[in-house]
Amino acid sequence: MTGAPTLSWLLFGGHASALFAVLAGMAVAFMMGGRRPKTCRRLLLRARVGLLVRALLLLVWGLGLNALPLPVYDILPYYAVLFLFALPFTGLRMRHLIAAAVVFAVLGPWARHLALQTFGAATLSNPTLVDLVLDPAGLLLSLLLTGVYPAVTWMAFILLEMALGRMMLQRRSVQLGLLGTGGLLMLLGNGISWLAVHAWGGSGRIVSESHGATADSVRRAMLFGGDPALPSDSPWWQLVVGPHSNTTLSWAASAGMALVVVGGALWVSRSAGQLLWPLASLASMTLTGYTIHLVVLASVHVDHHPWLWFWGQVVLGILLAMAWQRAVGRGPIEAAVSRLSRLGAAVLVRPEGRRSRS
């Protein structure tokens, strides 16, 4: 163990959770009607109530999982808050969603920067149900502003992909557009950050303005991100791109990677859709797979044989997902959440009764 980042970390570190949020935004858009958003007030209300119930279920589930000794940061409680924050935006058009995503991407990191200056670093990186009862204010602060995946910055991912859900994703031109736009965002995010930190004196300003900062600590922040947040004693930290650094430039890099993955997957599926069925099976039960993954990480010390545990989880996950989908259909946790959200919407938003004949 040298402490140096691996090639896979350099390429994908911090981007997986961003892709998770991106796909969540697309799911929200599809729930609201996709390219043809629901216009009937009652149907739209039922969809929004269903999304609300889904968010509350995810919040409780995520906080419950955090009772395990997890060696990673669990995104599910933050994910739930993002669903709640998405509710007011579900009726917006594509261009308005993109504009709102840009606003969150630009202003959100500065709101987080000011919150960290005011309240200090996040103390509830993996909040639990106990925190919900004993420290609800601290839990809310962590989920909204100071945590690892704060809603104030991650809403930019949700809104961007809600906009994608309004597009004609089956068109080749759209898929190529996603690939090109994603590549450009990655280049801009990483390129501007590298120039600002290494060529334009940003590293020196951080060292001179931050307590205890060195050129090596800045380099490590670029490689590994904050722990769990970047320092807030210098605004120059906002030029850093690192995993989960929650800066505007890191959002551009991660959003670009997500667009490339989505566009590439759609492009490949045009000609090799049947060959991707094993992966599609696993993708159909991401919440179940993610839950099992967290349980494994909490139960086994995987650092001794990381590649063995990685490929073991991937292969076994795909095999189990294929068998489950053939035998049952949707993943067990996905099916339960969907059923409960529909039930909640049906109970809280009753259908209009038929008008009596005169």
Side-chain angles (χ1 to χ4, degrees):
M1 299 293 289
T2 63
T6 62
L7 178 61
S8 60
W9 178 267
L10 290 174
L11 293 176
F12 308 115
H15 297 310
S17 50
L19 179 60
F20 202 20
V22 158
L23 297 177
M26 294 183 72
V28 171
F30 293 150
M31 278 186 259
M32 297 300 155
R35 288 188 54 245
R36 297 179 177 84
K38 294 179 173 67
T39 55
C40 173
R41 290 183 60 185
R42 184 160 294 274
L43 289 178
L44 182 59
L45 179 59
R46 289 189 65 154
R48 285 173 172 168
V49 171
L51 182 60
L52 171 63
V53 174
R54 186 181 297 264
L56 295 176
L57 290 172
L58 282 177
L59 178 63
V60 173
W61 187 254
L63 294 176
L65 284 174
N66 284 348
L68 299 172
L70 298 176
V72 295
Y73 298 121
D74 177 17
I75 197 175
L76 288 182
Y78 301 90
Y79 200 56
V81 173
L82 293 174
F83 271 7
L84 292 175
F85 267 45
L87 285 170
F89 298 92
T90 52
L92 295 184
R93 298 187 179 190
M94 182 176 63
R95 62 177 179 272
H96 298 144
L97 288 169
I98 294 176
V102 172
V103 170
F104 272 99
V106 173
L107 299 183
W110 289 104
R112 172 178 166 82
H113 180 79
L114 294 175
L116 289 171
Q117 284 185 329
T118 304
F119 300 105
T123 56
L124 298 176
S125 299
N126 270 340
T128 66
L129 288 169
V130 175
D131 297 312
L132 177 62
V133 176
L134 299 182
D135 188 15
L139 172 63
L140 185 63
L141 178 65
S142 180
L143 296 178
L144 296 184
L145 287 166
T146 62
V148 182
Y149 312 106
V152 72
T153 58
W154 282 68
M155 270 303 296
F157 292 114
I158 294 287
L159 293 169
L160 176 65
E161 296 312 305
M162 285 175 66
L164 257 65
R166 301 275 196 257
M167 298 180 182
M168 298 185 68
L169 296 175
Q170 71 275 18
R171 287 187 175 179
R172 183 175 301 175
S173 59
V174 173
Q175 296 163 7
L176 291 175
L178 294 180
L179 286 168
T181 303
L184 180 60
L185 281 174
M186 291 175 61
L187 179 62
L188 289 174
N190 289 300
I192 293 175
S193 175
W194 190 91
L195 287 172
V197 172
H198 297 291
W200 299 339
S203 179
R205 294 296 298 267
I206 290 174
V207 170
S208 65
E209 296 178 9
S210 298
H211 177 70
T214 64
D216 183 65
S217 64
V218 175
R219 183 187 66 84
R220 292 188 64 81
M222 296 281 286
L223 293 174
F224 300 107
D227 188 23
L230 291 174
S232 58
D233 46 7
S234 171
W236 287 84
W237 283 109
Q238 291 299 308
L239 297 174
V240 167
V241 168
H244 313 307
S245 53
N246 287 292
T247 64
T248 299
L249 294 176
S250 71
W251 173 83
S254 292
M257 174 68 78
L259 292 180
V260 167
V261 171
V262 172
L266 291 170
W267 176 267
V268 171
S269 66
R270 297 176 66 92
S271 56
Q274 294 299 321
L275 297 178
L276 297 178
W277 178 70
L279 291 178
S281 298
L282 184 58
S284 70
M285 49 188 73
T286 51
L287 183 55
T288 298
Y290 183 73
T291 298
I292 296 173
H293 174 61
L294 291 183
V295 172
V296 169
L297 292 181
S299 306
V300 181
H301 191 62
V302 300
D303 290 343
H304 294 314
H305 305 284
W307 284 105
L308 175 64
W309 283 106
F310 172 77
W311 286 111
Q313 289 183 79
V314 169
V315 173
L316 186 59
I318 289 175
L319 293 176
L320 290 176
M322 291 170 61
W324 183 275
Q325 190 176 59
R326 281 193 177 276
V328 181
R330 299 189 69 177
I333 301 178
E334 288 79 5
V337 170
S338 180
R339 190 175 299 115
L340 289 172
S341 63
R342 287 198 304 269
L343 177 62
V347 170
L348 296 175
V349 185
R350 298 186 179 278
E352 293 178 337
R354 295 182 179 179
R355 294 182 181 177
S356 60
R357 297 181 181 178
S358 57

